[in-house]
Amino acid sequence: MDYLSSSFFSHWQQNTVQQALAVRTASDVEQVLNKVARAKSYNMLSVDDLATLISDAANPYLEVMAQLSQQLTRQRFGHALQLFIPLYLSNLCANECSYCGFSMSNKIKRKTLTWEEVDAECLAIKAMGYDAILLVTGEHETKVGMAYFEQILPIVKKHFSYVMLECQPLSQHQYALVKQWGVDAVMVYQETYHKPSYQQYHLRGNKRDFRWRLEAPDRLGAAKMDKVGLGCLFGLHDSWQEDALSLASHLQYLQKRYWRTRYSVAFPRLRPCTGNNNQLTPQAALSDRSLTKLICAFRLFNPQLEVVLSTREPAKLRDNLLPLGVTHLSAGSQTQPGGYVDETALKKPQLAQFDIDDVRAPAEVAASIKHRGFDVIWTDWNKSYSG
């Protein structure tokens, strides 16, 4: 399949986001909310409707949005909340990104896990109860590339029924290979869809190639990956609404073209990181209230969408967001290679990609979830029932 003949890049170049962010009124918001309330099926809203729901005009309607979001989430996902955990395989990186602790110029200790260390980390994670794992690497194609994945993935797959991967963008053929080696889902966040901001924060390395990254989900869809994770790093662009609408446009395009693939979205916010770049000030802070509105709006926009919330966010906020649209949470995360076996890992912040906020153990997070009336699921439900 020649995805390049009409990839999302051509849609992105049309630049319809600015039009979608035109001034909205309370009447506009009420019309969209009435459309959601009257819907008798999982009909998705338009990107223009989403623009209305994340506009300032929707601020007084957050409680109504939250109630509708909770209702739609329970209808589609029941009371299940799925837990996963990231396993950082390497902090080697050949990119210079001013918001990341793995950035190549940072004077940190670099480490790539051997297969023996990966096996030990997997055993430690399994002991926590997990059966779904997200493998994360810095972007270093020569030392942490296909040869490394071919060695490591079978080791991980023997421990976990659902394996996700977050690494440098790959070719369609390479995505087909990692799928063959046991990968069920790939997360590839664009960081920001605003190209000038993207170039501002990605200074050196292959990650500067905006289009190659933007078209990665197309290559994943063409490779028939089970699930693709999308997202922005909010704080890089001075309009979080613009990035959110570009993300929604990307999602809508992918769902129409690669309809056999499932999709998730995440809304990570900038966090402090190790190294000399930790003074970065977000261009536009996404407040807790705006994050809540964003999650609810995306749930109303797409009732079947999986929404991920990571340990970047504080524990109290995560607990409060549980009913409002979230379907997947990480818990007990370590963002440095070897963090689950090495008991002194917490004393080695120089290895970490960024600082986490919710430091609760998985069992504590699970207990909090159950206390709020939800069922804790330790693997990906769809895959586990697919035979």
Side-chain angles (χ1 to χ4, degrees):
M1 178 184 221
D2 184 13
Y3 74 90
L4 285 175
S5 62
S6 60
S7 73
F8 179 70
F9 182 74
S10 60
H11 293 255
W12 171 83
Q13 285 183 307
Q14 294 174 9
N15 193 26
T16 59
V17 169
Q18 288 288 350
Q19 296 177 3
L21 279 172
V23 175
R24 304 301 161 105
T25 66
S27 177
D28 296 327
V29 177
E30 291 172 3
Q31 287 181 22
V32 175
L33 293 178
N34 286 335
K35 183 189 298 187
V36 174
R38 291 195 308 267
K40 296 182 180 180
S41 62
Y42 295 127
N43 294 329
M44 293 184 292
L45 299 177
S46 67
V47 174
D48 190 67
D49 290 332
L50 178 67
T52 298
L53 294 179
I54 64 174
S55 69
D56 291 342
N59 289 343
Y61 298 87
L62 182 54
E63 181 60 32
V64 177
M65 290 174 60
Q67 292 174 2
L68 288 171
S69 179
Q70 183 172 354
Q71 177 184 341
L72 289 174
T73 306
R74 301 288 77 78
Q75 288 177 356
R76 173 61 179 85
F77 296 95
H79 287 79
L81 282 169
Q82 292 149 40
L83 292 182
F84 71 94
I85 195 166
L87 170 56
Y88 279 71
L89 299 173
S90 176
N91 59 9
L92 285 174
C93 194
N95 295 316
E96 182 72 20
C97 307
S98 56
Y99 54 83
C100 180
F102 289 176
S103 190
M104 62 186 297
S105 66
N106 282 352
K107 305 301 181 181
I108 64 171
K109 181 180 178 182
R110 304 288 175 168
K111 181 177 179 60
T112 299
L113 299 182
T114 66
W115 73 263
E116 294 94 344
E117 291 171 324
V118 170
D119 194 60
E121 290 282 294
C122 288
L123 288 172
I125 290 171
K126 287 294 289 187
M128 302 177 196
Y130 284 103
D131 197 32
I133 191 169
L134 170 63
L135 304 177
V136 185
T137 75
E139 299 191 6
H140 201 296
E141 296 179 3
T142 56
K143 295 184 178 180
V144 193
M146 294 301 291
Y148 182 77
F149 297 146
E150 185 176 14
Q151 176 192 30
I152 295 302
L153 285 172
I155 298 170
V156 176
K157 193 63 179 182
K158 73 179 183 180
H159 293 290
F160 299 94
S161 66
Y162 202 83
V163 176
M164 300 170 281
L165 178 65
E166 185 175 343
C167 65
Q168 65 271 12
L170 304 175
S171 69
Q172 179 181 332
H173 174 67
Q174 289 172 326
Y175 281 134
L177 282 176
V178 297
K179 178 184 177 183
Q180 178 182 323
W181 297 336
V183 171
D184 301 291
V186 173
M187 313 293 116
V188 55
Y189 300 160
Q190 187 61 28
E191 316 298 13
T192 176
Y193 288 85
H194 185 245
K195 192 172 182 180
S197 297
Y198 187 95
Q199 299 300 141
Q200 177 184 351
Y201 293 111
H202 300 95
L203 306 177
R204 286 189 293 169
N206 291 338
K207 197 169 182 178
R208 277 187 60 81
D209 191 335
F210 180 88
R211 180 172 180 174
W212 178 248
R213 192 171 192 88
L214 188 68
E215 292 178 331
D218 273 285
R219 298 191 294 273
L220 282 161
K224 300 180 180 178
M225 189 63 65
D226 176 56
K227 184 165 70 175
V228 175
L230 307 174
C232 297
L233 181 56
F234 288 95
L236 296 183
H237 179 29
D238 59 8
S239 172
W240 66 264
Q241 288 99 336
E242 283 188 15
D243 261 342
L245 293 178
S246 293
L247 174 62
S249 297
H250 200 177
L251 171 68
Q252 193 174 71
Y253 158 86
L254 291 167
Q255 288 184 311
K256 289 180 179 179
R257 184 165 186 179
Y258 309 103
W259 54 270
R260 291 183 179 87
T261 295
R262 291 187 292 144
Y263 297 92
S264 68
V265 296
F267 310 111
R269 297 187 287 183
L270 275 176
R271 291 284 299 154
C273 65
T274 302
N276 57 11
N277 297 312
N278 60 356
Q279 300 301 315
L280 179 67
T281 300
Q283 290 294 317
L286 179 62
S287 68
D288 290 354
R289 185 174 178 84
S290 293
L291 176 60
T292 303
K293 182 170 71 170
L294 185 59
I295 290 174
C296 293
F298 262 80
R299 173 56 65 223
L300 303 187
F301 169 67
N302 187 337
Q304 302 187 62
L305 184 63
E306 297 178 10
V307 176
V308 181
L309 191 63
S310 79
T311 53
R312 285 174 178 264
E313 304 302 336
K316 183 177 180 180
L317 177 62
R318 295 218 309 163
D319 286 346
N320 290 337
L321 289 173
L322 290 183
L324 303 184
V326 175
T327 61
H328 291 65
L329 295 100
S330 56
S333 304
Q334 297 291 336
T335 65
Q336 68 273 28
Y340 300 108
V341 171
D342 186 355
E343 295 182 354
T344 65
L346 291 176
K347 299 179 181 179
K348 297 180 179 179
Q350 73 275 11
L351 293 177
Q353 185 182 27
F354 58 87
D355 294 345
I356 64 174
D357 202 320
D358 187 351
V359 297
R360 294 175 294 177
E364 188 178 355
V365 174
S368 179
I369 291 172
K370 293 176 182 177
H371 178 71
R372 285 164 173 76
F374 295 98
D375 300 321
V376 179
I377 309 299
W378 296 91
T379 190
D380 187 282
W381 69 270
N382 189 300
K383 188 71 174 180
S384 65
Y385 286 105
S386 65

